[in-house]
Amino acid sequence: MRSVEENYLTGRLLVATPSTGGDVFRRSVVLVLHHDEHGAQGVVLNRPLDAPVGAVLPPWQPHVSAPDRLFQGGPVELDSALGLVLVPGDGEPMGVRRLFRGVGLLDLDAPPVLVMPEVGALRIFAGYAGWSPGQLEAEIRAGGWYVLDAETADTFTASPEDLWRQVLSRQPGPLSWVASFPDDPSMN
C-alpha cells in the first residue's frame, strides 16, 4: 500500500497531452513544486517571454541561465516572480530553500553576490500554475497531462522550445511516439 505522500506529484513533470490547449498550457512542461491535499503549484518550464529579467529584477540579469529571459511560469499572479536555482551537493545556501533533488527556491530579495557562488544555474518565472484541491487529479484523469519523471536539467534547459519533444522522446514505449505528434494534426 502506498502512503498518501507517494501519490503527490511534487518534483515530477506534467507534460501536456496533444489535446491540452490554451496559450499557456498547450505543449507545456510543468515542474510541480508542491502538491498535497490542499492543491498543487508548479511552473511552466518552456514559455520564455520576450522580456529580459533585468526589466523587472535588474540585479539578477547577469546571473540567469540561457536563454537569459523571463519565463511565464503560469497564468496565476503574473505580477509576481519566482526564482529556481540548481543547488549542487547536499547543502542549502543562504537565500535558497531546497525543494527536491538539486532544485531550490531562491529568495529574490537575497543579494546575488552571496547566492550565486553557491548555485549552478538560475531561472526566473513570472507567475505560476496553480490547482485547487482535486483539480489537478481531475485534469490528469481527463487526459490533460502525462505525469513523468523530471531530470534536473529540464528546469534549466538552454532549449526550452524543444523541451516538450525532448521529455516525450526519452520515454519508453509508445509514449515516445507522441513527441512526433504534429502541431496541427489536420495538416498531416
Side-chain angles (χ1 to χ4, degrees), residues 14 24 26 29 59 69 74 88 101 114 119-120 124 136 141 143 151 158 161 181:
L14 302 174
V24 176
R26 184 180 176 279
V29 178
R69 315 299 296 160
R101 295 180 300 282
L114 295 178
V119 300
I124 297 180
L136 177 56
R141 280 191 305 275
E151 294 181 3
E161 64 281 354
F181 196 85

Side-chain angles (χ1 to χ4, degrees), residues 38-112:
H38 303 293
Q41 298 83 35
V43 289
V44 178
L45 298 177
N46 59 334
R47 291 286 180 268
L49 297 169
D50 288 332
V53 168
V56 291
L57 294 164
W60 293 104
Q61 181 66 50
H63 308 289
V64 293
S65 301
D68 60 350
R69 315 299 296 160
L70 193 62
F71 279 63
Q72 183 176 353
V76 181
E77 293 189 29
L78 290 172
D79 59 346
S80 67
L82 184 144
L84 294 180
V85 291
L86 176 61
V87 184
D90 295 327
E92 193 168 273
M94 182 179 124
V96 175
R97 181 171 57 96
R98 185 181 289 273
L99 297 175
F100 39 80
R101 295 180 300 282
V103 177
L105 182 64
L106 173 65
D107 176 357
L108 292 168
D109 291 326

Side-chain angles (χ1 to χ4, degrees), residues 109-188:
D109 291 326
V113 68
L114 295 178
V115 176
M116 291 316 297
E118 304 295 322
V119 300
L122 167 64
R123 175 110 338 126
I124 297 180
F125 300 88
Y128 64 92
W131 293 267
S132 60
Q135 181 183 4
L136 177 56
E137 294 83 352
E139 290 180 14
I140 293 167
R141 280 191 305 275
W145 301 104
Y146 301 117
V147 178
L148 304 172
D149 291 332
E151 294 181 3
T152 304
D154 297 335
T155 304
F156 306 102
T157 181
S159 302
E161 64 281 354
D162 299 325
L163 188 60
W164 186 81
R165 282 190 171 92
Q166 289 171 351
V167 170
L168 289 167
S169 292
R170 71 178 185 235
Q171 302 310 309
L175 187 54
S176 67
W177 302 341
V178 176
S180 61
F181 196 85
D183 285 337
D184 182 356
S186 68
M187 300 299 288
N188 196 6

